[in-house]
Amino acid sequence: MKFLVFGSMNIDRVYSLDRLPEKGETLSCSNYELHVGGKGLNQAVSLAKAGALAYMAGRVGKDGMFLVDFLKKNGVNTDFIELSDGFSGHAVIEVDGEGQNQMILFPGANREITPDACERVLEHFGSGDLLLMQYETSQVEYMIQRAHKKGMKVALNPSPYVKKLKEIEYSQVDYLILNEFEGMSITGETEAQKIAIKLSKMLDGGAVILTLGADGAIYACENEYFRVPAFETQAVDTTGAGDTFTGFCLYGLMSGIEPEKALITASAASAIAVSRAGAAETIPDKKAVEDFLEKNFDNGFHSVYNHEK
């Protein structure tokens, strides 16, 4: 089974501040760091760290070759990454003293993907493989349609939210992983349970995983519905937490383990990631997650585990 991430690769420029600036305000930062990033890159690394045979496809500029090197070092196949004459995508990220962040994203080469480029990649994948998409690249709808037609499983992380997400053919999506804001924007609902249930009805037997930050995550698929809480941890930097969750969760679900265990494992991986500074560099490997679960699962998590049908 091959896991194809056709998505974004970004250069992350991270600025640390005591607090995030107000509109029109100028603040001096206490630290500046350069990191690898992009939701696609993060999720590919998370899949590889979880144990998947992960492939990254997309486009970078010459300024982003270190992104490709990072993927290789973390076990991701990079054969399907193309080089652009322009600039790579990059993000300006502001992180406050409590680990919360806000960012500005420049798409760059991520928006240069063409249908022909999609076809060049898809010819190497087929039935039973998984395609994971986000919304930081071009040709998302095309890739979903073509992958579905080839018999691939399709996972969509509809982030960042754009209006055209209301027009997606969700019956072609097998796994929809999104946060509460994205779910609310797509459905118009404001309560987490209603969001998850409405989204699950839009999928043709697929599963919705709605992440709720510190409040855990919801799984909804046809007649199955449950919620798992998050692990308590000291947040240092929440950048990439959702991408870490996505990779571990999808690997678990595609590997055939029970959905509850997949979400719990993904929650543990995310808890480790937010306790470290950075994005892709903070994603733990499978052994670290197993050790974390062995140490923490019965210490406060299992006792508040809420399983709702």
Side-chain angles (χ1 to χ4, degrees):
M1 185 192 309
K2 291 182 285 189
F3 292 74
L4 170 63
V5 181
F6 208 125
S8 58
M9 292 164 280
N10 290 332
I11 300 169
D12 284 354
R13 305 182 185 279
V14 184
Y15 301 83
S16 300
L17 308 96
D18 291 334
R19 62 178 176 83
L20 300 178
E22 302 291 339
K23 183 178 180 180
E25 183 180 20
T26 299
L27 294 176
S28 294
C29 70
S30 58
N31 189 48
Y32 164 74
E33 296 177 353
L34 186 69
H35 294 284
V36 299
K39 296 188 71 63
L41 181 147
N42 295 342
Q43 291 172 11
V45 170
S46 181
L47 280 166
K49 291 289 188 73
L53 182 59
Y55 292 76
M56 184 76 215
R59 198 168 174 85
V60 296
K62 293 179 181 179
D63 57 336
M65 290 307 297
F66 75 100
L67 304 175
V68 179
D69 293 337
F70 181 86
L71 285 162
K72 290 178 180 177
K73 290 178 182 178
N74 284 274
V76 179
N77 184 294
T78 61
D79 291 347
F80 305 113
I81 296 175
E82 297 185 344
L83 188 62
S84 168
D85 291 330
F87 292 104
S88 299
H90 69 258
V92 175
I93 304 172
E94 301 166 349
V95 182
D96 69 14
E98 297 180 353
Q100 298 303 309
N101 71 80
Q102 63 186 25
M103 64 181 70
I104 299 172
L105 178 67
F106 170 68
N110 295 313
R111 290 292 183 183
E112 297 175 0
I113 296 167
T114 65
D116 286 345
C118 295
E119 293 298 336
R120 286 194 293 272
V121 175
L122 285 174
E123 68 181 24
H124 298 278
F125 299 84
S127 179
D129 294 332
L130 176 91
L131 168 69
L132 171 57
M133 300 287 296
Q134 315 81 35
Y135 245 94
E136 292 183 338
T137 62
S138 51
Q139 305 302 330
V140 176
E141 300 89 351
Y142 183 87
M143 281 292 295
I144 290 173
Q145 294 168 2
R146 294 291 296 123
H148 177 74
K149 188 173 182 179
K150 287 173 69 72
M152 296 177 69
K153 295 291 185 181
V154 175
L156 175 63
N157 173 220
S159 181
Y161 173 78
V162 293
K163 290 183 179 179
K164 66 170 62 176
L165 279 166
K166 292 185 177 181
E167 304 170 6
I168 287 284
E169 185 57 63
Y170 286 97
S171 63
Q172 298 177 346
V173 176
D174 299 282
Y175 299 105
L176 183 65
I177 303 180
L178 70 173
N179 64 31
E180 200 167 6
F181 170 78
E182 292 151 0
M184 180 178 64
S185 299
I186 294 171
T187 65
E189 301 288 351
T190 57
E191 296 180 16
Q193 181 175 351
K194 291 182 178 179
I195 291 171
I197 292 174
K198 187 169 183 177
L199 287 170
S200 68
K201 291 178 180 179
M202 294 166 60
L203 275 61
D204 186 16
V208 173
I209 298 93
L210 182 68
T211 59
L212 307 172
D215 292 325
I218 289 173
Y219 178 92
C221 181
E222 294 183 323
N223 297 323
E224 185 173 13
Y225 174 95
F226 64 85
R227 181 196 294 256
V228 298
F231 286 94
E232 292 187 7
T233 188
Q234 181 63 47
V236 174
D237 186 351
T238 58
T239 308
D243 298 330
T244 301
F245 182 97
T246 295
F248 273 83
C249 184
L250 281 175
Y251 177 68
L253 293 172
M254 286 290 289
S255 298
I257 70 172
E258 289 295 317
E260 293 97 329
K261 183 177 180 181
L263 266 68
I264 291 168
T265 302
S267 179
S270 183
I272 296 171
V274 301
S275 68
R276 305 168 174 175
E281 305 95 327
T282 71
I283 298 173
D285 59 23
K286 187 175 182 179
K287 179 64 165 55
V289 175
E290 290 172 348
D291 291 345
F292 181 93
L293 284 168
E294 184 176 352
K295 179 180 180 181
N296 294 283
F297 186 72
D298 289 323
N299 295 330
F301 186 93
H302 187 67
S303 61
V304 297
Y305 180 53
N306 178 23
H307 188 187
E308 307 170 33
K309 288 287 187 182

